[in-house]
């Protein structure tokens, strides 16, 4: 249920409505790349790390009210040659220093909340990214296979459904 450009702030605002209108057996949360975007005004990230940490903990808490099966997907790396300044947003740029910091928060939150974490930091190569940030067809396939593999490995998905 991703929305382009959303941050953890945005997801928090709509999470309960989205989750309560469904009966989820599994909730997969993949958030952070837009939080990590930096600008001339704020080089630390669009959503500061401490706020991101708080938001993510709240999201996990909310998710657990719907299902015990919560998976946090880490933040991917970017191709900095293409994301130093992005054409679709003149103020934003994405760098791996920030994506790594936000990914660490995702990992720490998963550990502290006792939910599962799937690292994707090294999964995608620059060739898997259409514009240095967004996955292309091959990148999406790799992400799908990684999540599917996790769900199958831990018995959260039946092999027939895969």
């Amino acid at each position: 249920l991703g929305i382009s450009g959303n941050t953890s702030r945005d997801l928090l605002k709509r999470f309960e409505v989205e989750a309560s209108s469904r009966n989820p057996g599994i909730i997969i949360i993949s958030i952070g790349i837009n939080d990590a975007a930096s600008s001339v005004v704020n080089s630390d990230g669009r959503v500061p790390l401490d706020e991101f940490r708080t938001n993510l903990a709240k999201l996990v808490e909310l998710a657990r009210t719907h299902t015990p099966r919560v998976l946090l997907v880490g933040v991917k790396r970017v191709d900095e040659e293409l994301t130093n300044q992005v054409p679709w947003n003149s103020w934003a740029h994405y760098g791996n220093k920030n994506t790594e910091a936000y990914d660490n928060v995702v990992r720490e939150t998963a550990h502290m909340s006792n939910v599962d974490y799937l690292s994707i930091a090294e999964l995608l190569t620059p060739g898997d990214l259409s514009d240095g940030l967004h996955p292309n067809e091959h990148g999406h396939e790799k992400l799908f296979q990684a999540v599917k593999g996790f769900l199958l490995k831990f018995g959260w998905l039946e092999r027939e459904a895969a």
Side-chain angles (χ1 to χ4, degrees):
L1 300 171
I3 295 178
S4 182
N6 266 196
T7 66
S8 59
R9 289 175 187 153
D10 302 308
L11 182 55
L12 262 175
K13 290 176 188 171
R14 65 185 176 86
F15 186 87
E16 192 56 37
V17 171
E18 297 279 2
S20 64
S21 65
R22 294 157 176 82
N23 186 21
I26 301 167
I27 294 179
I28 301 169
I29 300 172
S30 178
I31 195 86
I33 195 77
N34 289 320
D35 296 75
S38 56
S39 69
V40 176
V41 176
N42 184 3
S43 63
D44 293 333
R46 185 169 164 196
V47 175
L49 270 173
D50 286 340
E51 181 184 348
F52 177 67
R53 182 177 285 109
T54 300
N55 293 349
L56 195 57
K58 287 178 185 175
L59 287 164
V60 169
E61 185 179 319
L62 289 169
R64 283 188 140 159
T65 66
H66 296 278
T67 179
R69 294 178 173 179
V70 178
L71 172 62
L72 294 182
V73 177
V75 181
K76 69 184 178 327
R77 296 180 62 77
V78 299
D79 181 351
E80 290 179 325
E81 288 184 27
L82 300 174
T83 61
N84 192 28
Q85 186 172 13
V86 293
W88 60 87
N89 194 336
S90 61
W91 69 265
H93 62 91
Y94 297 81
N96 288 319
K97 180 181 174 190
N98 274 9
T99 61
E100 184 177 332
Y102 285 71
D103 184 48
N104 287 336
V105 169
V106 176
R107 182 178 20 266
E108 291 164 9
T109 300
H111 177 74
M112 297 297 289
S113 302
N114 199 28
V115 298
D116 290 292
Y117 165 79
L118 176 63
S119 176
I120 60 166
E122 303 298 326
L123 180 67
L124 303 179
T125 65
D128 296 321
L129 303 170
S130 62
D131 55 9
L133 179 65
H134 300 96
N136 59 24
E137 179 181 341
H138 300 292
H140 279 290
E141 179 65 25
K142 282 184 173 181
L143 289 168
F144 168 74
Q145 291 300 332
V147 171
K148 176 182 163 186
F150 174 90
L151 297 176
L152 285 169
K153 179 179 177 181
F154 291 99
W156 289 13
L157 182 68
E158 298 295 325
R159 293 216 177 265
E160 299 84 47

